[in-house]
Amino acid sequence: MVSEVVPIPSRVESLAKSGIQVIPKEYVRPQEELNGIGNIFEDEKKDEGPQVPTINLKEIDSEDKEIREKCHQELKKAAVEWGVMHLVNHGISDELIDRVKVAGGTFFDLPVEEKEKYANDQVSGNVQGYGSKLANSACGQLEWEDYFFHCVFPEDKRDLAIWPKTPADYIPVTSEYAKEIRNLATKIFAVLSIGLGLEEGRLEKEVGGMEDLLLQMKINYYPKCPKPELALGVEPHTDVSALTFILHNMVPGLQLFYEGKWVTAKCVPNSIIMHIGDTIEILSNGKYKSILHRGVVNKEKVRISWAIFCEPPKEKIMLKPLPETVTEAEPSQFPPRTFAQHMAHKLFKKDDNNAAAEQKVFKKDDQDSAAVHKASEKDERNIVAEHIVLKEDEQDSAAEQKAFKK
């Protein structure tokens, strides 16, 4: 007698609400990824050990040079040592942020059947809209999340046809928030540029400027999980973006791999979490860090996060360390790649150029063979990364589009 195979719902939300007590094997992560997963609520309360830095941006534009530089130095220190930080007094009103959270939360409160009207189709290359993780990781496992992904800035690159019509406030509030984040990104780029000894507009120019820097929003919805010790909302990865700005509904779940251990980020009221992405790490020749991180889930509360990824154009710009960051003592740590090539390398371990071609490019840049060797070592810069395929956390669903087209 052959037992009936019960199909797995296409959405994690439906699976979570089905009353299951165990999770399908497709969602059980490899053992090496499960280290450090405990009770996320207890972990978040702990005060001992390293803590993600909190940066007060109130004086980022102060007319008092000494006060302004103190703020800049604190931000630079966090970017160098952690690559992630809580930003407070960031200049975006609590009222606007609350509206963003209400709008996104209201959309995900809709019945799954209603949300399916906005479903994407990753196989055909339609990556914007409502979706769930496809099994394209090295281990083939799924992530415990649904999401909504779309471009939010510049305005002429948006496709409002796929934006949620319910609630009615979704489009106006998301548009306004995207503009605020874009302005905040300009301020952060300026501080990071100055921290490298560059003109304050340099990094923003290098990542595409106002015209070409794309802001992609991904609302991550992590349902309650009956076996949170076996699953992950987002697997370990570094962001390929230049900068990432994240809001959440004050339910803990973000973990950072810092000094050989997984550190749970606290929920800091009225803050925005900011990540330094691979793009800035490359341009700074590794001086600013793109930290390995992941999202864990729990069985008690739904977690929602709103991530905006600031991405350079895919083909226009060649990502490589800026000349001012390269010296004989600190040779280039990264081979030149377009953003699209970097995403393919991160997601699928593919190089658009073979090793010989990479070395030829390096020679043109007056780099020696030692720099090539160091660049390859840089790709696996921590212990966990040697065991885990680093990939974009679905934030860059656009990378999947490129892969599928191939």
Side-chain angles (χ1 to χ4, degrees):
M1 179 178 176
V2 178
S3 60
E4 182 182 356
V5 177
V6 179
I8 298 174
S10 61
R11 303 304 177 199
V12 180
E13 178 186 356
S14 300
L15 182 62
K17 290 180 176 179
S18 67
I20 60 171
Q21 298 303 308
V22 296
I23 61 176
K25 66 181 188 306
E26 289 86 352
Y27 291 91
V28 177
R29 307 301 302 187
Q31 185 57 48
E32 65 266 20
E33 291 187 10
L34 301 178
N35 296 328
I37 296 181
N39 184 314
I40 193 65
F41 299 104
E42 295 300 319
D43 291 344
E44 196 252 346
K45 293 176 184 176
K46 294 177 182 176
D47 289 324
E48 71 271 14
Q51 304 290 330
V52 176
T54 296
I55 307 301
N56 188 341
L57 297 184
K58 184 177 181 180
E59 307 296 348
I60 192 171
D61 294 322
S62 174
E63 293 182 2
D64 187 311
K65 182 180 178 182
E66 186 174 334
I67 293 175
R68 182 177 69 249
E69 289 186 351
K70 182 176 184 294
C71 174
H72 289 195
Q73 285 301 317
E74 289 175 353
L75 195 156
K76 176 186 174 182
K77 184 172 186 286
V80 167
E81 295 181 0
W82 278 84
V84 64
M85 62 203 79
H86 301 285
L87 302 179
V88 296
N89 292 318
H90 39 68
I92 302 178
S93 73
D94 295 343
E95 185 266 341
L96 177 59
I97 287 175
D98 287 343
R99 286 174 60 202
V100 169
K101 292 181 179 181
V102 169
T106 301
F107 172 77
F108 274 97
D109 283 341
L110 295 173
V112 170
E113 297 74 26
E114 191 67 22
K115 294 194 285 279
E116 289 291 357
K117 295 177 181 178
Y118 300 93
N120 61 20
D121 183 5
Q122 296 179 40
V123 174
S124 68
N126 175 22
V127 299
Q128 295 197 71
Y130 176 59
S132 300
K133 170 68 188 294
L134 294 177
N136 67 342
S137 63
C139 63
Q141 298 306 97
L142 300 175
E143 296 171 327
W144 196 262
E145 73 153 342
D146 299 324
Y147 63 83
F148 194 93
F149 174 80
H150 58 334
C151 176
V152 294
F153 195 90
E155 293 183 357
D156 62 345
K157 292 182 172 66
R158 303 179 308 180
D159 180 6
L160 294 181
I162 59 95
W163 289 37
K165 305 301 185 291
T166 303
D169 196 35
Y170 186 93
I171 291 177
V173 73
T174 302
S175 299
E176 185 178 349
Y177 179 64
K179 291 177 184 176
E180 293 287 339
I181 287 292
R182 185 62 186 85
N183 292 334
L184 178 58
T186 291
K187 293 182 179 182
I188 300 297
F189 284 134
V191 174
L192 295 176
S193 294
I194 293 168
L196 294 174
L198 307 171
E199 294 180 358
E200 66 176 42
R202 181 67 179 282
L203 282 178
E204 181 165 12
K205 177 184 176 183
E206 293 289 343
V207 297
M210 191 60 73
E211 290 185 0
D212 288 327
L213 184 71
L214 284 180
L215 270 59
Q216 313 263 27
M217 175 181 270
K218 180 165 173 266
I219 307 176
N220 302 290
Y221 183 86
Y222 307 105
K224 299 175 187 177
C225 181
K227 293 290 182 182
E229 70 278 7
L230 298 178
L232 285 174
V234 175
E235 63 189 13
H237 66 280
T238 61
D239 289 353
V240 298
S241 60
L243 298 172
T244 303
F245 296 93
I246 302 174
L247 297 175
H248 56 78
N249 63 339
M250 295 299 286
V251 175
L254 174 64
Q255 290 189 327
L256 301 310
F257 194 73
Y258 182 76
E259 295 184 343
K261 294 181 180 179
W262 287 107
V263 175
T264 299
K266 292 186 176 296
C267 293
V268 177
N270 305 315
S271 71
I272 296 175
I273 296 171
M274 188 189 79
H275 284 271
I276 301 294
D278 295 352
T279 296
I280 292 297
E281 182 179 58
I282 292 168
L283 292 172
S284 70
N285 199 23
K287 292 176 175 60
Y288 297 136
K289 301 296 186 294
S290 179
I291 193 169
L292 191 73
H293 57 284
R294 67 184 183 184
V296 298
V297 292
N298 70 85
K299 62 170 62 176
E300 299 172 36
K301 296 181 179 180
V302 169
R303 181 171 185 261
I304 308 179
S305 66
W306 290 255
I308 288 187
F309 306 99
C310 303
E311 302 176 355
K314 289 181 173 54
E315 304 289 353
K316 271 189 178 183
I317 297 170
M318 185 64 68
L319 292 180
K320 60 182 179 180
L322 298 176
E324 294 90 340
T325 68
V326 178
T327 65
E328 188 174 343
E330 295 179 304
S332 175
Q333 298 186 42
F334 304 91
R337 292 188 179 106
T338 64
F339 185 63
Q341 288 169 343
H342 177 68
M343 286 193 295
H345 172 74
K346 287 289 294 294
L347 283 165
F348 310 108
K349 289 299 180 185
K350 291 179 181 177
D351 285 317
D352 287 48
N353 302 311
N354 59 28
E358 271 190 1
Q359 190 164 359
K360 185 176 181 180
V361 172
F362 267 67
K363 285 180 179 178
K364 287 183 178 179
D365 286 342
D366 296 320
Q367 303 297 327
D368 57 28
S369 59
V372 178
H373 179 64
K374 188 167 185 180
S376 64
E377 292 178 336
K378 181 64 182 177
D379 284 339
E380 306 297 339
R381 62 184 174 279
N382 55 49
I383 298 171
V384 167
E386 293 177 353
H387 299 284
I388 301 168
V389 175
L390 296 182
K391 63 179 288 295
E392 180 55 52
D393 61 347
E394 235 30 23
Q395 54 109 316
D396 238 23
S397 296
E400 290 181 344
Q401 180 177 2
K402 182 177 176 68
F404 290 132
K405 284 182 178 178
K406 289 183 179 179

